[in-house]
Amino acid sequence: MTRVVIVDDQALIRQGITGLLQVAGIDVVGEADDGSNAIEIITRTAPDVVLLDMRMPRFDGIWTLDRLQEKGIDIPVLMLTTFDDDALVLDALRAGARGYLLKDVTLDQVTNAVHTLAAGGTLVAPTVTDRLLRAIRSGPSPVEPDAPPAQELTDRELDVLRLVASGYSNRQIAEALFLAEGTVKNHLSTILAKLGARDRTNAVLRALHDGILG
């Protein structure tokens, strides 16, 4: 059973998401009302996925992502946001979030998002708004300043990257492209190296920024 921690300063939203996930057979192992409490709960429970509110009055989502990275806690984080959070969403993705989810989602959407991240997938391109896409393309490249220039990807590497951008896990990519899962992992390692990206989300951001994905 997939295990989840929910971080949101509004108790009603936490309770609502918890109820939805429990109906879908997902185990909510902890709730927190801000980033400080979240770090303690995440460390103690080691969930498969964290659903993290973007805006909280004390320690917000970006602060929480930064602390998780500092502590070396590599747990998929799905940001919870509203339509007017595009700039913060981009900051969160650059800070290591695996994707984001709007707060008006359906039960199927939230459960599919949780399962996608738990399986190693991302949720970036399927829900990118026009404003966010423009912000990605007009802003600085999401790579380290000293990273080498991006190298050209092969057709197969582009196929893999497009599926990563669509939220596919390694297993799903392997099935879609009739490849071994180990081959997909090798392609991803090459893609990260060619794009100077630290992870798959960062690779998608750079590809969107550079127009590699069209």
Side-chain angles (χ1 to χ4, degrees), residues 16-126:
I17 296 174
T18 296
L20 288 173
L21 296 180
Q22 288 174 339
V23 167
I26 294 172
D27 187 15
V28 178
V29 297
E31 297 181 19
D33 60 2
D34 77 350
S36 180
N37 294 333
I39 297 299
E40 186 275 325
I41 292 172
I42 292 167
T43 302
R44 173 166 48 83
T45 60
D48 300 304
V49 177
V50 175
L51 271 64
L52 178 62
D53 187 15
M54 184 76 71
R55 297 181 183 271
M56 292 180 286
R58 291 187 295 172
F59 301 102
D60 64 10
I62 302 297
W63 183 94
T64 307
L65 284 167
D66 289 341
R67 299 295 84 72
L68 290 173
Q69 287 207 355
E70 286 178 3
K71 291 178 176 292
I73 300 175
D74 186 21
I75 294 174
V77 175
L78 185 68
M79 304 303 297
L80 301 174
T81 183
T82 55
F83 279 108
D84 61 354
D85 283 335
D86 287 343
L88 286 178
V89 167
L90 183 52
D91 288 341
L93 294 173
R94 286 172 172 158
R98 300 281 179 88
Y100 71 97
L101 195 66
L102 299 176
K103 286 188 174 180
D104 61 352
V105 293
T106 65
L107 172 59
D108 285 344
Q109 288 173 319
V110 69
T111 55
N112 287 340
V114 168
H115 289 309
T116 294
L117 264 69
T122 58
L123 282 172
V124 179

Side-chain angles (χ1 to χ4, degrees), residues 54-207:
M54 184 76 71
R55 297 181 183 271
M56 292 180 286
R58 291 187 295 172
F59 301 102
D60 64 10
I62 302 297
W63 183 94
T64 307
L65 284 167
D66 289 341
R67 299 295 84 72
L68 290 173
Q69 287 207 355
E70 286 178 3
K71 291 178 176 292
I73 300 175
D74 186 21
I75 294 174
V77 175
L78 185 68
M79 304 303 297
L80 301 174
T81 183
T82 55
F83 279 108
D84 61 354
D85 283 335
D86 287 343
L88 286 178
V89 167
L90 183 52
D91 288 341
L93 294 173
R94 286 172 172 158
R98 300 281 179 88
Y100 71 97
L101 195 66
L102 299 176
K103 286 188 174 180
D104 61 352
V105 293
T106 65
L107 172 59
D108 285 344
Q109 288 173 319
V110 69
T111 55
N112 287 340
V114 168
H115 289 309
T116 294
L117 264 69
T122 58
L123 282 172
V124 179
T127 51
V128 166
T129 66
D130 289 340
R131 287 181 300 170
L132 180 56
L133 187 56
R134 286 198 296 271
I136 291 171
R137 288 181 171 169
S138 63
S141 181
V143 295
E144 298 300 326
D146 57 350
Q151 301 176 44
E152 186 175 356
L153 302 182
T154 66
D155 289 342
R156 178 56 83 190
E157 289 162 356
L158 283 171
D159 290 340
V160 170
L161 185 57
R162 288 190 185 99
L163 293 178
V164 170
S166 296
Y168 281 50
S169 67
N170 289 355
R171 178 177 298 179
Q172 292 169 326
I173 294 172
E175 292 173 352
L177 298 180
F178 304 101
L179 299 172
E181 192 169 349
T183 302
V184 172
K185 292 179 180 178
N186 290 338
H187 280 310
L188 281 171
S189 295
T190 303
I191 290 168
L192 295 182
K194 285 186 173 182
L195 296 183
R198 64 176 179 271
D199 56 37
R200 57 201 292 145
T201 304
N202 193 251
V204 171
L205 289 176
R206 179 162 196 184

